[in-house]
Amino acid sequence: VPECEIKLPCEMAIPETYIEDPSMRLEVYRRFSASSTPEQVDVLMAGLKDQYGDPPLEVYVLAELTTVRIAARRLALTVLEFKNNTLTATFHNSTPVKPDKIMGMLMKAPNKYQFNPPSSLFIRMSGVKGNELIRKTRDELETIVKMC
């Protein structure tokens, strides 16, 4: 399964004022990229807090986006995009998500979810902006992961 292409509008750079040394900032980016579970992200964030103090908002956004990437990988998503108040999740044909589970979501909240066969789930997220979008996206994906 190819890596998911994530198209979400967000600022996620580690500020130089938080980690001054460029090689250390690069190492932290590598560690976020190498994280394969939300627990690893939590451990990384705790380590950053211990070493550098309370992380700024941009680092929290990076952590949330990393958990989104992890969930997208578990669901075998190929594209995750937010446009026009709608989050589109496109599933690879090897997704572990069963069609009946998606249908159940559609039945429970037909105004929120729409499915476009063979592989795209549309999730309406009206009024969601900025960093809240990343959190809501993570929550939606974690809900789907629990159905697997």
Side-chain angles (χ1 to χ4, degrees):
V1 178
E3 187 70 25
C4 182
E5 181 179 356
I6 298 176
K7 301 176 185 178
L8 301 175
C10 62
E11 296 289 327
M12 59 178 179
I14 300 171
E16 292 178 20
T17 55
Y18 184 59
I19 301 176
E20 292 179 11
D21 181 354
S23 63
M24 287 307 299
R25 269 196 320 279
L26 185 57
E27 178 58 27
V28 170
Y29 282 121
R30 279 192 204 115
R31 290 178 61 202
F32 273 113
S33 180
S35 297
S36 59
T37 67
E39 294 77 19
Q40 288 177 340
V41 175
D42 292 342
V43 168
L44 177 54
M45 288 296 288
L48 289 174
K49 186 174 182 178
D50 287 347
Q51 188 168 1
Y52 299 102
D54 287 329
L57 181 60
E58 296 92 339
V59 177
Y60 282 103
V61 171
L62 179 58
E64 289 285 341
L65 193 60
T66 301
T67 61
V68 165
R69 180 184 48 77
I70 292 165
R73 187 179 296 141
R74 287 192 61 196
L75 295 170
L77 296 181
T78 57
V79 177
L80 187 64
E81 180 176 20
F82 184 75
K83 187 168 38 172
N84 300 325
N85 293 318
T86 301
L87 181 68
T88 303
T90 304
F91 296 89
H92 187 269
N93 59 9
S94 66
T95 184
V97 181
K98 304 292 181 231
D100 61 316
K101 300 292 185 179
I102 296 290
M103 295 310 294
M105 290 174 67
L106 299 174
M107 301 286 273
K108 287 181 186 173
N111 292 327
K112 182 176 183 180
Y113 300 106
Q114 180 182 350
F115 190 72
N116 187 17
S119 62
S120 293
L121 176 66
F122 302 101
I123 305 168
R124 288 180 193 78
M125 298 177 122
S126 297
V128 178
K129 295 180 189 168
N131 300 325
E132 181 186 9
L133 172 63
I134 305 299
R135 186 182 53 76
K136 289 268 196 192
T137 299
R138 183 207 60 209
D139 292 347
E140 289 290 343
L141 294 184
E142 287 180 354
T143 297
I144 299 169
V145 165
K146 289 176 186 171
M147 295 187 313
C148 296

